Amino acid sequence: MNAFTRWMSLLFAVCLLGVSGTRALARRDPPADVARLLPDAGCPAPCWAGLRPGQLSDETLQAWLAALPAGWHAGPANPTMTFPGVIEYWEIVPPAGAPFVLGTVRVHEPGADALHLLPADLTLGEAVAALGAPDYVLFGLGPDRPAGPTLQYQAVFRGGYLAVTGLIPAGASHLGVSAPVEALVYRAVPAQRSVLAHDWRGFGPMARYYPQGAVP
């Protein structure tokens, strides 16, 4: 009996260590490349890195660019959608890791003003691991690409203030953790949930969201 008790105690200890280790891993901070794109406790969404969509005067934006976080550098980027004073982009180069692009949309319309962060290499799985489960997800037709037509996903977090968007092949059978993220969008006002939105049902077959197979 004593030997049995010792073995049971050892087994319990191993299980306890395993559970504790899992919880410790779950509490780890996200990698720096991910964390720098996310809201933090000192600047919750819709704020990002001290910038608030809808409250960006020329003076505020220029002051931010002149006093970037430690080690960051910024230079103009010129996507086709650039309109000086209204829609502008900067390439942000951190001291380590991949650069990313910051876009500011300032049309002085609360429903449209936003910050766009365009990461070089981020997956939906990494975003969900850092932010938790989305409030909901929305799918729609995306642009045609050389590889074929696409489906756009939009995972919405933080009460509608933050959306993570990307493209997957139109015929994709699964929504996977490796789905690439094209942009994180910080809105000045929360998005209203569309009637076409779906409760988050996790990663896996698209049939979870469209059981009848009627994907857009």
Side-chain angles (χ1 to χ4, degrees), residues 11-28:
L11 179 61
F12 177 78
V14 169
C15 292
L16 182 62
L17 285 172
V19 171
S20 300
T22 300
R23 291 182 175 175
L25 287 173
R27 288 196 298 265
R28 288 189 308 178

Side-chain angles (χ1 to χ4, degrees), residues 7-98:
W7 277 109
M8 290 300 295
S9 298
L10 179 61
L11 179 61
F12 177 78
V14 169
C15 292
L16 182 62
L17 285 172
V19 171
S20 300
T22 300
R23 291 182 175 175
L25 287 173
R27 288 196 298 265
R28 288 189 308 178
D29 292 333
D33 279 4
V34 177
R36 66 173 59 104
L37 302 171
L38 305 178
D40 58 62
C43 184
C47 171
W48 173 80
L51 297 177
R52 290 186 176 275
Q55 301 179 26
L56 287 180
S57 65
D58 289 338
E59 294 76 14
T60 298
L61 186 56
Q62 292 306 316
W64 187 87
L65 290 169
L68 292 166
W72 288 18
H73 299 280
N78 295 296
T80 55
M81 290 296 292
T82 296
F83 296 98
V86 180
I87 302 176
E88 298 173 293
Y89 295 89
W90 291 267
E91 182 180 46
I92 308 297
V93 182

